[in-house]
Amino acid sequence: MGHFKHYLIMWGFFTILFTFAILGLEIFEGNKITTTEYYGLRNMGIIFILFHFIIGLIIYPISFFPLSFLINKFLNILIVRLVIYSLIGVFSGIWTFNRLYGFADGYFINGYELNMSSAIIIFGVSGLVYALVDDVSANKYRKKMA
């Protein structure tokens, strides 16, 4: 039961962290886009946030739950887990940046001089925070089981 609670907590935490990472990226980079062609926070408002919250709810069981389970099962060294989750965050940030702003051959990226390093930093830090919370939560439930 302890593992179930841990992954349930991590699901909620991941969803909130993912939503805030998207929101942060949108505030730093998406707000530079001043055309109505782009449906971001300016045009959609709270719907933009809710949409990405729902995406976060869907992404966790498909990708991060199995990944977290495997990492917690086979890697006990905290620094290695911090690096892995941070790198996953960085690659997720690059992918998300390109998905949000890179369609139509980088029209928004080039036209509005958007900077991918914002996504790399925001999502990399999000991966680091996820790893720390995962470690604290997993240790809490390991102690209860012992």
Side-chain angles (χ1 to χ4, degrees), residues 32-107:
K32 295 177 186 176
I33 301 172
T34 56
T35 181
T36 56
E37 287 179 277
Y38 172 67
Y39 286 98
L41 189 59
R42 282 185 182 198
N43 294 348
M44 295 175 63
I46 192 77
I47 301 297
F48 180 83
I49 297 168
L50 290 174
F51 177 73
H52 287 95
F53 182 83
I54 292 168
I55 289 174
L57 283 172
I58 295 168
I59 288 174
Y60 182 80
I62 295 169
S63 63
F64 262 78
F65 168 69
L67 184 67
S68 295
F69 181 78
L70 290 172
I71 287 174
N72 283 335
K73 187 162 182 80
F74 297 112
L75 293 173
N76 294 327
I77 303 168
L78 176 61
I79 192 72
V80 173
R81 292 177 8 196
L82 291 172
V83 169
I84 289 172
Y85 281 123
S86 295
L87 286 174
I88 291 168
V90 165
F91 290 121
S92 298
I94 293 168
W95 185 84
T96 302
F97 181 84
N98 286 323
R99 285 315 234 172
L100 286 174
Y101 313 121
F103 52 91
D105 298 326
Y107 171 72

Side-chain angles (χ1 to χ4, degrees), residues 8-27:
L8 197 60
I9 288 169
M10 292 312 297
W11 189 2
F13 185 74
F14 171 86
T15 303
I16 292 168
L17 193 62
F18 176 78
T19 304
F20 277 113
I22 293 279
L23 183 60
L25 181 60
E26 183 66 16
I27 289 170

Side-chain angles (χ1 to χ4, degrees), residues 104-125:
D105 298 326
Y107 171 72
F108 293 135
I109 295 171
N110 297 327
Y112 293 95
E113 298 178 4
L114 304 182
N115 193 351
M116 188 183 293
S117 63
S118 298
I120 291 170
I121 292 168
I122 291 169
F123 279 82
V125 169

